[in-house]
């Protein structure tokens, strides 16, 4: 029916977002390093810090390519990036963990995360989230649009014009809703399940700020970009 059909404009929007999502991937060298060096917690933390830094760079490039984002107020662009970075990174690394990498790489990455000085109480929710994302078997269009929806969340701190952000987010939500019905016709509530993951993401970002604090307590060093995006140091 007309209501459900993805129109030409929405198809162009989807293509722009998916191309941006795939164009900006974590550099091969960082992923390759994963498998080489030894397993000391310090070594693991350094590697994960490098990965996190490149994830932020990838996130910024992806965000700049979301149609309409660069026409938002400049300060609101920054507020949206800072407010959504952790959630977008959890989504991105969930895809890395659940599918993108070959299994043996995922196991090595999981091993390194588990041995990088992260307190156990953050490990469980983190890996539960990765598992719950994996079980959704999202197609890449859904992953890319869901990440764009997370970034375009109007109620982030310090956003001056939330209506402008809401208009962009609503366009994305409409495309995602139609896509879910087309890609998962047998699962009525698939769209609702996807949005439910965004709620789970907010809980994880609280864990993440506590993780940052516990790393800093143990005098772990971050890169300037990570300090800037999360206002540490
Ligand atoms: C790259 C990576 C992948 C999976 C798990 C972890 C712990 C990391 N590493 C970090 C994350 C982070 C992230 F990048 C994605 C998802 C969840 C995250 F905790 N955030 C930060 C912030 C400062 C330093 C690091 C090492 N770090």
């Amino acid at each position: 029916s007309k209501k459900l059909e993805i129109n030409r404009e929405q198809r162009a929007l989807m293509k722009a977002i998916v191309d941006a999502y795939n164009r900006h991937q974590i550099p091969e060298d960082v992923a390759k390093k994963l498998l080489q060096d030894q397993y000391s917690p310090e070594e693991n933390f350094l590697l994960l810090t490098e990965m996190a830094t490149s994830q932020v760079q990838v996130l910024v490039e992806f965000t700049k390519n979301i149609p309409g984002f660069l026409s938002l107020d400049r300060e609101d662009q920054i507020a949206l990036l800072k407010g959504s970075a952790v959630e977008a990174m959890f989504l991105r690394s969930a895809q890395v963990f659940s599918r993108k990498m070959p299994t043996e790489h995922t196991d090595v990455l999981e091993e390194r995360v588990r041995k990088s000085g992260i307190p156990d109480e953050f490990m469980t929710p983190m890996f539960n989230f990765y598992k719950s994302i994996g079980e959704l078997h999202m197609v890449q269009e859904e992953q890319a649009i869901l990440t764009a929806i997370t970034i375009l969340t109007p109620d982030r701190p310090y956003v001056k014009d939330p209506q402008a952000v809401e208009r962009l987010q609503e366009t994305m939500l409409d495309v995602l809703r139609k896509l879910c019905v087309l890609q998962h016709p047998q699962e009525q509530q698939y769209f609702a399940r996807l949005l439910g993951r965004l709620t789970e993401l907010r809980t994880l970002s609280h864990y993440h700020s506590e993780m940052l604090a516990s790393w800093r307590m143990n005098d772990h060093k971050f890169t300037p970009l990570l300090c800037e995006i999360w206002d540490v140091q």
Side-chain angles (χ1 to χ4, degrees):
S1 71
K2 200 88 195 80
K3 203 79 191 77
L4 260 191
E5 188 194 295
I6 294 183
N7 61 44
R8 204 204 332 247
E9 193 187 336
Q10 290 176 320
R11 201 166 296 285
L13 178 75
M14 199 159 56
K15 186 172 172 357
I17 291 176
V18 173
D19 290 350
Y21 196 73
N22 292 334
R23 195 176 327 128
H24 305 297
Q25 290 289 359
I26 297 179
E28 268 309 300
D29 56 326
V30 177
K32 249 201 285 298
K33 265 196 196 160
L34 263 184
L35 304 169
Q36 270 145 19
D37 309 348
Q38 67 276 14
Y39 274 80
S40 78
E42 295 70 28
E43 184 69 45
N44 288 342
F45 183 78
L46 274 180
L47 195 91
L48 290 174
T49 304
E50 198 181 327
M51 257 185 90
T53 305
S54 80
Q55 278 199 5
V56 173
Q57 287 157 343
V58 162
L59 169 68
V60 172
E61 283 317 304
F62 168 66
T63 304
K64 280 159 59 177
N65 287 283
I66 297 175
F69 182 82
L70 291 179
S71 50
L72 292 170
D73 172 278
R74 178 78 45 184
E75 285 171 357
D76 282 358
Q77 294 176 27
I78 305 291
L80 292 178
L81 261 173
K82 289 170 75 114
S84 66
V86 178
E87 293 175 22
M89 286 164 69
F90 266 104
L91 270 179
R92 170 85 61 173
S93 53
Q95 274 116 42
V96 164
F97 270 105
S98 60
R99 197 179 48 77
K100 272 285 184 348
M101 277 203 287
T103 329
E104 69 279 0
H105 292 195
T106 317
D107 296 346
V108 167
L109 180 61
E110 177 160 344
E111 201 47 35
R112 284 181 177 282
V113 171
R114 290 188 183 283
K115 289 196 179 95
S116 58
I118 299 173
D120 277 355
E121 69 263 27
F122 308 142
M123 210 69 84
T124 320
M126 188 192 303
F127 282 104
N128 287 345
F129 178 74
Y130 291 152
K131 204 160 61 64
S132 74
I133 288 288
E135 283 155 5
L136 286 170
H137 301 295
M138 275 191 268
V139 297
Q140 62 169 1
E141 290 81 357
E142 290 164 341
Q143 291 173 14
I145 298 173
L146 192 64
T147 306
I149 288 167
T150 307
I151 294 161
L152 294 169
T153 300
D155 63 342
R156 298 292 185 199
Y158 315 116
V159 171
K160 298 176 295 187
D161 183 2
Q163 283 77 18
V165 182
E166 199 160 8
R167 272 194 296 276
L168 289 181
Q169 192 192 45
E170 262 154 25
T171 321
M172 308 285 164
L173 283 162
D174 198 38
V175 178
L176 184 64
R177 183 176 49 77
K178 291 183 179 178
L179 197 64
C180 288
V181 174
L182 290 173
Q183 296 286 342
H184 309 265
Q186 73 289 358
E187 283 174 82
Q188 283 305 314
Q189 293 311 324
Y190 187 80
F191 177 56
R193 280 172 66 201
L194 277 198
L195 299 188
R197 292 283 155 271
L198 299 188
T199 321
E200 198 175 340
L201 271 176
R202 296 223 178 190
T203 340
L204 284 168
S205 55
H206 295 306
Y207 281 122
H208 188 268
S209 31
E210 284 167 38
M211 224 163 26
L212 283 177
S214 83
W215 277 322
R216 290 201 46 232
M217 228 94 80
N218 309 330
D219 208 20
H220 281 89
K221 289 276 162 288
F222 302 137
T223 57
L225 183 57
L226 295 181
C227 293
E228 192 180 335
I229 197 106
W230 291 315
D231 295 327
V232 286
Q233 237 133 339

